[in-house]
Amino acid sequence: MISKPLTRNLLGYRILIINDKDTFKFKEANSKDIKQLTLGIPETWSDADIFRTNEFKVSEKGSFDDVFNRLVSGEFDYTTFGANEVESIFKNRASQHADLSIENSLMFFYPFPLVFYVNPKQPRLAVRIEKGLENIENNRVLSGIFDSYYKLLIEDLNLKHRKIISLNNPLIPNEFADLKPDLKSLSL
């Protein structure tokens, strides 16, 4: 594993998709309020264990393809996706249900970095990739790449003005256990 998180841990910022009729449940909600609601997650997703460990109610079953039907039917109150993926998931899947929307006032955060992995038999490749990442980070090329892919998304999702509910991620390698929400790192 190359221990340099890519995409500034954007996958760890989890955005909610909800039923429009339930907007009031989330507007001024805090962690205690949200723990009274149920999160829907497709079967086998690691997010289920993360939320359960943090004492949230979780309905884990079915597939990615049916999670939105289950949400519309009221089987649970919300579902979450990474900030880097929620808009495309909503556009391509959830928007087919007229009564669903991306909740706009809060988000969850837990360490969930996107990293490179290389074959353990290729340590020189790992060193080379790590050095290359350091170089493009130091000369701000990596920031330019990030901005070109995520600047509009960060603005559209209004990430800097959402309330953050931070969770522990028991599944994360020790190198990343101390990652905290850092919206300044998302500054453009």
Side-chain angles (χ1 to χ4, degrees):
M1 177 179 69
I2 312 299
S3 352
K4 293 206 166 286
L6 305 171
T7 69
R8 300 180 184 161
N9 201 44
L10 204 52
L11 188 59
Y13 292 92
R14 307 301 285 186
I15 308 299
L16 291 70
I17 295 179
I18 64 169
N19 277 299
D20 291 336
K21 67 179 175 50
D22 293 336
T23 302
F24 72 95
K25 294 179 182 178
F26 300 92
K27 275 290 184 222
E28 301 296 323
N30 58 33
S31 180
K32 183 179 175 184
D33 299 328
I34 301 296
K35 285 182 178 183
Q36 301 306 309
L37 304 174
T38 302
L39 165 67
I41 295 180
E43 198 167 11
T44 73
W45 283 26
S46 62
D47 305 72
D49 290 333
I50 295 168
F51 278 90
R52 279 192 199 102
T53 297
N54 287 273
E55 301 178 347
F56 285 80
K57 294 180 186 176
V58 176
S59 171
E60 179 189 9
K61 71 177 192 180
S63 68
F64 177 68
D65 291 324
D66 70 10
V67 74
F68 301 108
N69 291 329
R70 293 172 49 224
L71 178 57
V72 167
S73 74
E75 188 175 320
F76 50 83
D77 300 290
Y78 64 100
T79 189
T80 69
F81 297 94
N84 61 318
E85 63 190 359
V86 70
E87 282 189 332
S88 64
I89 289 171
F90 186 82
K91 178 183 173 189
N92 295 315
R93 299 191 185 238
S95 66
Q96 297 168 13
H97 303 278
D99 297 333
L100 297 182
S101 60
I102 296 174
E103 200 284 329
N104 64 12
S105 65
L106 62 91
M107 67 182 158
F108 292 100
F109 172 85
Y110 47 82
F112 205 57
L114 180 63
V115 295
F116 279 117
Y117 286 90
V118 297
N119 186 315
K121 295 177 183 176
Q122 299 291 328
R124 287 179 42 201
L125 177 59
V127 169
R128 205 166 160 193
I129 290 171
E130 190 162 8
K131 178 122 176 102
L133 284 171
E134 284 175 15
N135 286 341
I136 64 172
E137 192 171 55
N138 291 337
N139 65 19
R140 309 265 317 137
V141 168
L142 188 57
S143 288
I145 293 169
F146 179 87
D147 292 349
S148 71
Y149 283 95
Y150 298 114
K151 179 180 180 177
L152 290 176
L153 178 124
I154 290 166
E155 291 171 358
D156 290 348
L157 291 174
N158 198 24
L159 293 186
K160 294 179 188 175
H161 298 98
R162 289 173 178 263
K163 180 189 304 182
I164 298 174
I165 298 173
S166 292
L167 307 178
N168 294 318
N169 182 350
L171 310 173
I172 202 78
N174 289 337
E175 299 96 306
F176 302 115
D178 291 332
L179 280 177
K180 303 288 183 228
D182 180 10
L183 295 175
K184 290 179 185 173
S185 77
L186 301 177
S187 296
L188 309 166

